[in-house]
Amino acid sequence: MAQSQSLVERDSEAMERWDPFGDLDQLNDRMRRMLEQTFSSALPLGTAGWSPLVDIEEQDDAYVLEADAPGAKREDVKVEQVGNELHISGEIKERERKGSLRRRERPIGRFSYAVRLPESIDPNKIEAKLKDGVLSIRVPKSQRAQRRQVEVTS
């Protein structure tokens, strides 16, 4: 009986020390390091270290991309259209702090993102705006690719 009590006591001590979020953080760090080690040698020099979160919405006349770029300045963001690919790159610089940084979750440094769009876009009318930490890019569809309602007759 004393032996079973000690097992129960040890199990309860282990449960009290177990931190599931700590384990997830460690797993996330290991996976990130493993991916960086695996793919960093395959990337060209100067390639960005992270990609922003991006929403892509298809509207009747355009594709609208919204990319998170908190703290980015307009002059530090570059948007290029190459063929039917859209490339977003830039840098979010570390801001000067008065105190000690105890935790960092927001990314800083160079970033890049690329997406392949259908070939039926109008590259001369692409617009990009950076406002409140969100980069909005409107990529109009060409006239022939726009949706239109077709009347059904009998």
Side-chain angles (χ1 to χ4, degrees):
M1 186 79 119
Q3 185 179 11
S4 65
Q5 271 184 328
S6 64
L7 288 175
V8 170
E9 288 172 5
R10 278 187 273 166
D11 286 347
S12 66
E13 288 174 11
M15 289 298 287
E16 288 175 18
R17 288 187 305 233
W18 183 59
D19 177 16
F21 295 110
D23 289 348
L24 286 173
D25 286 341
Q26 287 178 355
L27 179 62
N28 186 23
D29 287 341
R30 284 185 193 155
M31 294 289 289
R32 182 182 46 77
R33 281 195 305 269
M34 193 168 41
L35 287 170
E36 285 173 356
Q37 290 170 354
T38 303
F39 295 110
S40 64
S41 62
L43 298 173
L45 291 175
T47 299
W50 60 278
S51 293
L53 299 175
V54 177
D55 290 339
I56 302 174
E57 176 185 354
E58 181 178 3
Q59 299 175 349
D60 288 341
D61 62 342
Y63 298 95
V64 178
L65 291 83
E66 292 180 328
D68 287 345
K73 294 188 169 121
R74 183 179 55 83
E75 58 270 13
D76 294 331
V77 176
K78 183 171 148 183
V79 177
E80 290 182 303
Q81 179 255 327
V82 180
N84 65 328
E85 288 188 0
L86 191 67
H87 296 262
I88 302 168
S89 62
E91 183 175 10
I92 295 178
K93 297 177 181 170
E94 176 68 51
R95 67 179 179 86
E96 191 174 318
R97 300 182 186 276
K98 294 180 181 176
S100 298
L101 184 64
R102 299 290 184 202
R103 184 174 186 148
R104 175 184 307 283
E105 292 187 3
R106 298 183 338 175
I108 60 167
R110 298 201 49 75
F111 65 87
S112 68
Y113 179 84
V115 63
R116 185 179 303 264
L117 297 170
E119 295 199 21
S120 54
I121 62 170
D122 190 345
N124 297 321
K125 295 183 180 176
I126 296 174
E127 299 172 345
K129 295 177 184 173
L130 181 63
K131 182 178 179 187
D132 297 331
V134 177
L135 175 65
S136 298
I137 304 169
R138 188 172 190 283
V139 182
K141 294 179 181 177
S142 66
Q143 281 296 101
R144 62 185 164 91
Q146 290 185 16
R147 238 182 244 177
R148 68 178 184 89
Q149 187 70 32
V150 176
E151 184 181 341
V152 178
T153 60
S154 56

